[in-house]
Amino acid sequence: MPEGPSMVILKEAVQEFKGKKVVEVEGNTKVIDKDLLLNKAIVDFKTWGKHFLICFKGFTVRVHFLLFGTYQINEHKDTPARLHLGFRDGELNIYAASIRIIEGDIDEAYDWTADVMNESWNPLAAKKKMLARPDMVCCDALLNQDIFAGVGNIIKNEVLFRIGIHPLSTVGAIPKTKLAAMIREAKIYSFEFLEWKKAFVLKQHWLVHQQRNCPNGHGPLTIMHLGKTKRKSYFCEQCQKRYGTLENEASLIWKPPAGVRKPNRIATRKPVPKKFR
DNA sequence: AGTAGTGTTCGGCC
DNA sequence: TGGCCGAACACTAC
């Protein structure tokens, strides 16, 4: 769900509700005054990076799906929705997402030039932002939503492999052609991601992300949690060149704690049989 | 069947 | 004041 292209898919999928009046508001979100939305018409749907935006006159509902969020259109699960919008003919259900209201003009709230999927995406602005932080490592730069809104861990790993740059290379030290390639590929890969995801063939195009071996035959990939973000990087030491030196290198390499892991779910729930969904 | 992950925010602590 | 860290969130493909 979470990366930018998935938000574009969602936006396209809900076009039938554009201009339609919300006639029912439910859900366990705590931050929405349900009466605020009731009987209001949806002016537009927008996306900014990983944000899905439901625009009303004078305010916008911001939806962020984080890692686990899901949605359903004209169908629903039996679990309570975080936000349910009912229309005269149809419904939109959002689960496990972060919801917020943004007051006022949405153009005031967002820098559209930072969104790799937006027509206002500005590569030069991205270049400026990166060169303002020359010591930032490339894996952090790509995940920085102020610079590359919409880019997530998959796109990060694939872009760095495509351009042959080691994730711990610093932004200021890589050749300018590589900097340009990084910015260019962030957008190109995002749109390829979009098409592959629509065709349900995204995973089979991954060259390094969640892979074991270098696609160019260099043997096992290196897999480490890197950068301030500590997100998993998959990369090939031979294909991806490292530039620049780091004073604080140790702090940018993280190992997950060994030993007993905590359960990642609080309660188990029996899956609902498909025929009841 | 148990686990890791397409992510961000928040409070607490130095 | 601010950076760093862990917890929380809560779904599902593999």
Side-chain angles (χ1 to χ4, degrees), chain A residues 256-276:
Chain A
V260 187
R261 285 194 191 79
K262 279 189 164 182
N264 62 0
R265 70 154 69 191
I266 293 136
T268 52
R269 191 179 59 239
K270 280 186 185 168
V272 185
K274 243 189 181 147
K275 58 181 177 176
F276 296 125

Side-chain angles (χ1 to χ4, degrees), chain A residues 151-163:
Chain A
V151 169
N153 207 34
I154 298 172
I155 299 174
K156 175 204 81 178
N157 284 325
E158 295 295 313
V159 165
L160 288 174
F161 179 75
R162 278 189 173 193
I163 66 173

Side-chain angles (χ1 to χ4, degrees), chain A residues 208-219:
Chain A
V208 290
H209 188 258
Q210 291 187 3
Q211 306 304 302
R212 300 182 74 110
N213 294 306
C214 170
N216 296 331
H218 294 132

Side-chain angles (χ1 to χ4, degrees), chain A residues 158-174:
Chain A
E158 295 295 313
V159 165
L160 288 174
F161 179 75
R162 278 189 173 193
I163 66 173
I165 288 292
H166 188 292
L168 286 181
S169 290
T170 58
V171 159
I174 65 174

Side-chain angles (χ1 to χ4, degrees), chain A residues 11 23-24 47 84 89-90 116 125 153 179 220:
Chain A
K11 184 178 85 175
V23 298
E24 186 180 46
T47 68
H84 158 91
D89 190 14
V116 294
N153 207 34
L179 193 71

Side-chain angles (χ1 to χ4, degrees), chain A residues 1-258:
Chain A
M1 186 56 44
E3 297 198 29
S6 301
M7 296 302 101
V8 174
I9 291 171
L10 170 55
K11 184 178 85 175
E12 290 174 3
V14 294
Q15 284 306 303
E16 62 185 279
F17 301 131
K18 189 166 160 177
K20 295 284 167 23
K21 191 168 75 175
V22 175
V23 298
E24 186 180 46
V25 186
E26 299 289 343
N28 56 20
T29 173
K30 289 166 194 148
V31 293
I32 291 222
D33 173 11
K34 307 217 168 45
D35 290 340
L36 186 64
L37 311 191
L38 196 60
N39 295 321
K40 302 260 173 68
I42 290 175
V43 175
D44 206 356
F45 293 104
K46 292 179 189 283
T47 68
W48 181 87
K50 300 162 190 169
H51 297 193
F52 173 61
L53 304 167
I54 308 169
C55 306
F56 293 86
K57 190 165 176 254
F59 69 95
T60 295
V61 176
R62 191 208 78 175
V63 181
H64 197 304
F65 289 89
L66 302 178
L67 209 49
F68 305 131
T70 57
Y71 62 84
Q72 301 216 304
I73 296 161
N74 295 332
E75 48 189 20
H76 56 86
K77 312 184 187 190
D78 72 331
T79 50
R82 177 63 39 80
L83 181 64
H84 158 91
L85 298 182
F87 302 89
R88 195 166 59 90
D89 190 14
E91 61 179 306
L92 170 60
N93 295 296
I94 290 161
Y95 306 88
S98 161
I99 311 266
R100 261 196 217 176
I101 295 286
I102 298 170
E103 301 282 355
D105 184 359
I106 195 66
D107 290 335
E108 298 292 313
Y110 285 102
D111 171 13
W112 303 107
T113 72
D115 178 2
V116 294
M117 306 296 290
N118 196 285
E119 59 179 20
S120 299
W121 161 247
N122 184 346
L124 260 99
K127 184 181 176 184
K128 261 192 184 168
K129 291 172 195 169
M130 286 207 279
L131 291 179
R133 306 167 180 76
D135 296 331
M136 180 168 52
V137 289
C138 288
C139 59
D140 282 338
L142 279 165
L143 290 176
N144 186 322
Q145 300 298 294
D146 294 330
I147 306 175
F148 295 103
V151 169
N153 207 34
I154 298 172
I155 299 174
K156 175 204 81 178
N157 284 325
E158 295 295 313
V159 165
L160 288 174
F161 179 75
R162 278 189 173 193
I163 66 173
I165 288 292
H166 188 292
L168 286 181
S169 290
T170 58
V171 159
I174 65 174
K176 290 290 173 287
T177 52
K178 290 293 185 186
L179 193 71
M182 186 168 154
I183 295 165
R184 191 170 59 242
E185 286 300 328
K187 172 180 172 166
I188 291 174
Y189 190 85
S190 294
F191 279 93
E192 290 182 359
F193 182 124
L194 173 63
E195 293 311 315
W196 290 333
K197 175 123 182 147
K198 279 181 181 172
F200 305 103
V201 293
L202 177 62
K203 287 189 188 185
Q204 56 189 266
H205 284 91
W206 291 348
L207 297 176
V208 290
H209 188 258
Q210 291 187 3
Q211 306 304 302
R212 300 182 74 110
N213 294 306
C214 170
N216 296 331
H218 294 132
L221 294 169
T222 305
I223 303 169
M224 298 172 96
H225 292 81
L226 299 179
K228 295 195 178 193
T229 47
K230 294 179 181 169
R231 302 287 253 110
K232 217 180 220 184
S233 283
Y234 295 77
F235 60 101
C236 171
E237 308 267 6
Q238 292 188 57
C239 296
Q240 294 174 250
K241 198 165 170 197
R242 184 161 172 185
Y243 298 89
T245 50
L246 296 169
E247 304 219 349
N248 54 340
E249 173 158 339
S251 72
L252 296 174
I253 300 174
W254 182 77
K255 286 203 172 92

